Amino acid sequence: MSLPIVAIVGRPNVGKSTLVNRLAASRQAIVHDQPGITRDRTYQQAFWLDRDFIVIDTGGIVFDDDTEFLPMIREQANLALSEANAAILVVDGQAGPTPADEELARWLRQQHLPIFLAVNKCESPDQSIILASQFWELNLGEPYPISSIHGNGTGDLLDAVVAELPSIDELPEIEETNVAIVGRPNVGKSTLLNALTGKNRSIVSPISGTTRDTIDMHIERNGTNYRLIDTAGIRRKKNVEYGAEFFSINRAFKAIKRADVVLLVIDAVDGVTEQDQKLADRIIEEGRAAIIVVNKWDAVEKDSYTIYDFEKHIRDRLYFFDWAEMLFISAQTGLRVDKLFGSIDKAAIAHQRRISTAVINEVLQEAIRWHSPPTSRQGKQGKIYYGTQVSSAPPVIALFVNDPKRFNESYKRYIDRQFREQLDFTGTPVRFAWRGKKVREAERSANRATKV
Ligand code: GDP
Ligand code: GDP
C-alpha cells in the first residue's frame, strides 16, 4: 500500500497504544504482548480529514535500561523510523519530563524526519497548557497537549502532522511488480511458473530476513521487472502429512499479502471450488489486483459455446470478483501465456492509479445528476459534498457526505458502478470510504485555522 507512515514513539505507559487506537480507522484492538517479550511493530491505517496514513506503534523504548530484550525493541524502533515520514513522540503530561524522555528526544533530533511532541494525559483544559509547557525543554518544538482517552487536542496535533506528510502523488512508484501465483494443488501452478520463467530472463533469490525456503524469482520481460513470490512454495510437491492443506493455504495467504497482482489459477476441468472462493475472498480483503487464470484449457472438449458457458459459470461463482480479467490458458502448451504479461501490467497500473480530485468530482456530479441520493422517511436527503482519492494500491476514494447512514447499499453500489464505468479499473478492487459531516466540519475549521 502506498501511504505515508507516521511512527508513534515513547517510553512505556505514556499512552501510545491508546493514541494509536484513537487514530486508527478500524477500532481494532491492539494486541498487548506480554511484558519482557519484544513487541512487534503494529501497523494500522488511520485518517485525518482527507489524508490517509499508516500509524506504527513502536512499543516502549527506554534507552538507559539494559534488560536483554531492549536491543530488539531499539532495533524495531529504528526500523520503524527508517520507513516513516513523520514521528510523534508521546510523553506523559502528568508525570512531567523524565530522563528517558530526554534521551529519546535527543535520539529523535538526530533523525531526518519531522518530529511532533504530544503531551498526553492532558484532560483538564485549564492545566493542559501548563503541563505541556514543561516539555519545551525537550527541544522538539511546540508541545501539543492531548488526551488520547478523550480526544482533546488530537485535532490540532493531526493538522500539524498531516501538513508535513507527502501526498500520495509524491510517494515513490513501485519498480517491480510483485506477482503471486495461487490456486489449489494440481491446478498447474508450477507448470505455469515454468512457462512464465522459461523464455524470460530469471534470477532466483531468497528474500532477505526470511527462511531459505521462501524464494522469490525475478524475471525481466521487455524491460519490465516482475518478482514471482514464493516460488519454492509453488514448486513444493504436495506431501501427505497431516495439515499439509492448511499450510498450503496459509502459504498462499502470505503470498497474497506480499503481492501487487495475484494470479488466481483455476482448473478448467474442475471449475470453481470452495477453496478458490476462499482465495478470492482473501485477495479482496487484502486489496490486491488479480487475474482469473483458467488453466488446462487444452484439456476441455470445446464447442462454440464453451468459453461463454465457462465464463458464466466462473462469474457466477466469483460474482464479487467481476472487476478481474479472465484468461483461458494452457500452461502446458503455452496457449495465451504471453498474453498474461499484458494483463498483469494492466492490473498493476489500475492498482496504482491516482485519479485527480477534479475527475472524481466530475464522475460524482454526473452520477448524482442521473440518480440523486436517497431521501429518508423524514424527508432528509443524502448529500455528497465531494470525493477525493486518499490512497492507492488499491485505490480508496473517500466521499464526504452529510450522513453516511442516509446512503443505502443499493445507492453505494450504484456509485461504485459509475466509477468503474467511467474510469477503467479493470484488474483492481476499488474501495469507497463514506465519511460523515463531522469530518467535513472539522475540515472547514482546519481550513479556517490555517487561513488565520
Ligand atoms: P503505552 O504503553 O505507551 O502504549 O501506553 P497505553 O496506551 O497502554 O496506556 C498506558 C496507561 O495510560 C493506561 O492505563 C491508559 O489508560 C493510560 N492513558 C492513556 N492515555 C491516557 C490519557 O489521555 N489520559 C489519562 N489520564 N490516561 C491515559
Ligand atoms: P500445481 O500443484 O498447481 O503446481 O500443479 P502442477 O503444475 O504440478 O500440475 C499438475 C498436473 O496438471 C500435472 O500433471 C501437469 O502436467 C498438469 N497440467 C498443468 N498445466 C496443464 C495444462 O495447461 N493442460 C493440461 N492438460 N495439463 C496441465
Side-chain angles (χ1 to χ4, degrees):
M1 170 116 44
S2 29
L3 277 181
I5 296 177
V6 178
I8 312 285
V9 295
R11 57 189 182 82
N13 276 316
V14 291
K16 293 182 299 300
S17 319
T18 313
L19 178 62
V20 169
N21 273 332
R22 173 159 289 280
L23 303 185
S26 63
R27 288 268 179 264
Q28 231 171 31
I30 291 179
V31 182
H32 277 274
D33 296 324
Q34 300 159 41
I37 291 173
T38 333
R39 261 168 72 169
D40 223 341
R41 284 168 289 164
T42 57
Y43 292 76
Q44 294 203 59
Q45 201 170 334
F47 71 88
W48 174 241
L49 309 178
D50 56 2
R51 300 301 306 281
D52 285 36
F53 51 93
I54 307 272
V55 275
I56 318 181
D57 179 5
T58 58
I61 336 172
V62 189
F63 281 169
D64 52 4
D65 197 327
D66 60 355
T67 38
E68 55 181 318
F69 62 93
L70 266 165
M72 286 185 277
I73 293 185
R74 201 173 307 172
E75 192 186 317
Q76 287 294 320
N78 262 317
L79 282 172
L81 235 59
S82 68
E83 58 187 359
N85 302 96
I88 301 176
L89 172 63
V90 185
V91 294
D92 183 333
Q94 294 179 5
T98 68
D101 292 336
E102 276 159 28
E103 202 168 334
L104 271 172
R106 201 172 318 128
W107 174 64
L108 287 169
R109 283 198 305 268
Q110 292 161 9
Q111 313 293 319
H112 301 281
L113 77 170
I115 312 284
F116 297 87
L117 177 57
V119 182
N120 194 31
K121 310 194 185 178
C122 290
E123 275 86 34
S124 135
D126 328 327
Q127 281 182 8
S128 63
I129 303 287
I130 300 164
L131 293 179
S133 63
Q134 317 168 77
F135 289 89
W136 279 102
E137 64 180 61
L138 295 183
N139 278 321
L140 288 174
E142 183 182 346
Y144 288 88
I146 64 164
S147 166
S148 298
I149 286 187
H150 300 290
N152 324 3
T154 50
D156 287 346
L157 171 69
L158 288 171
D159 282 345
V161 173
V162 298
E164 288 294 325
L165 296 180
S167 74
I168 58 169
D169 298 328
E170 292 160 356
L171 292 167
E173 305 252 354
I174 50 164
E175 283 149 20
E176 193 176 41
T177 306
N178 295 303
V179 180
I181 304 176
V182 302
R184 289 181 307 122
N186 275 315
V187 290
K189 295 182 296 298
S190 4
T191 313
L192 177 60
L193 178 67
N194 288 337
L196 291 175
T197 52
K199 280 179 288 173
N200 303 292
R201 198 151 65 82
S202 58
I203 318 155
V204 176
S205 68
I207 340 166
S208 56
T210 56
T211 50
R212 282 237 310 280
D213 82 353
T214 310
I215 292 175
D216 289 355
M217 207 177 231
H218 302 264
I219 57 176
E220 192 217 292
R221 187 175 178 277
N222 302 335
T224 308
N225 295 310
Y226 306 86
R227 177 201 284 256
L228 299 170
I229 292 173
D230 190 13
T231 55
I234 299 168
R235 284 228 169 91
R236 166 157 305 173
K237 277 303 137 200
K238 12 286 147 206
N239 46 44
V240 286
E241 282 165 37
Y242 169 77
E245 190 75 333
F246 169 79
F247 286 114
S248 81
I249 199 147
N250 259 347
R251 204 153 183 156
F253 284 176
K254 277 193 187 144
I256 290 169
K257 204 177 184 65
R258 292 179 48 225
D260 298 306
V261 182
V262 180
L263 308 184
L264 176 59
V265 186
I266 286 167
D267 191 316
V269 181
D270 299 344
V272 176
T273 68
E274 204 177 310
Q275 261 213 53
D276 298 324
Q277 283 168 326
K278 261 191 210 147
L279 291 170
D281 282 344
R282 184 54 74 107
I283 292 167
I284 291 178
E285 250 168 61
E286 298 279 357
R288 293 326 189 230
I291 298 160
I292 303 172
V293 178
V294 184
N295 189 33
K296 308 194 186 176
W297 193 239
D298 60 296
V300 171
E301 294 278 347
K302 293 177 204 63
D303 58 50
S304 51
Y305 292 103
T306 316
I307 278 216
Y308 172 81
D309 293 343
F310 246 86
E311 183 148 6
K312 186 165 171 356
H313 158 78
I314 292 168
R315 292 283 181 213
D316 281 351
R317 304 287 309 261
L318 299 174
Y319 63 92
F320 45 84
F321 227 65
D322 54 357
W323 45 266
E325 202 181 333
M326 199 183 296
L327 271 184
F328 294 83
I329 70 157
S330 167
Q332 203 163 58
T333 68
L335 174 77
R336 282 191 283 268
V337 168
D338 257 4
K339 277 192 85 173
L340 207 47
F341 284 101
S343 301
I344 293 171
D345 294 346
K346 196 172 168 196
I349 289 166
H351 195 232
Q352 295 279 316
R353 228 165 124 204
R354 289 142 196 200
I355 312 272
S356 75
T357 301
V359 168
I360 286 173
N361 288 291
E362 255 171 56
V363 175
L364 268 179
Q365 274 166 20
E366 188 70 8
I368 295 167
R369 209 165 16 242
W370 283 106
H371 187 0
S372 32
T375 303
S376 71
R377 257 176 277 149
Q378 293 78 29
K380 297 208 167 124
Q381 196 178 27
K383 278 203 179 67
I384 305 181
Y385 299 118
Y386 78 106
T388 187
Q389 184 174 351
V390 292
S391 148
S392 65
V396 180
I397 295 170
L399 299 175
F400 291 87
V401 303
N402 55 349
D403 180 1
K405 287 200 284 293
R406 299 227 173 105
F407 297 84
N408 52 28
E409 282 313 306
S410 103
Y411 196 78
K412 287 181 177 172
R413 273 199 302 276
Y414 163 73
I415 292 291
D416 184 314
R417 261 197 325 275
Q418 290 301 305
F419 271 93
R420 288 206 169 272
E421 277 168 23
Q422 301 301 319
L423 312 168
D424 184 8
F425 282 118
T426 305
T428 183
V430 177
R431 293 179 182 162
F432 289 89
W434 295 74
R435 293 179 184 172
K437 173 170 120 188
K438 266 201 195 138
V439 177
R440 179 156 164 94
E441 275 171 355
E443 182 186 44
R444 260 202 235 113
S445 56
N447 280 342
R448 237 180 282 130
T450 50
K451 272 180 205 130
V452 171

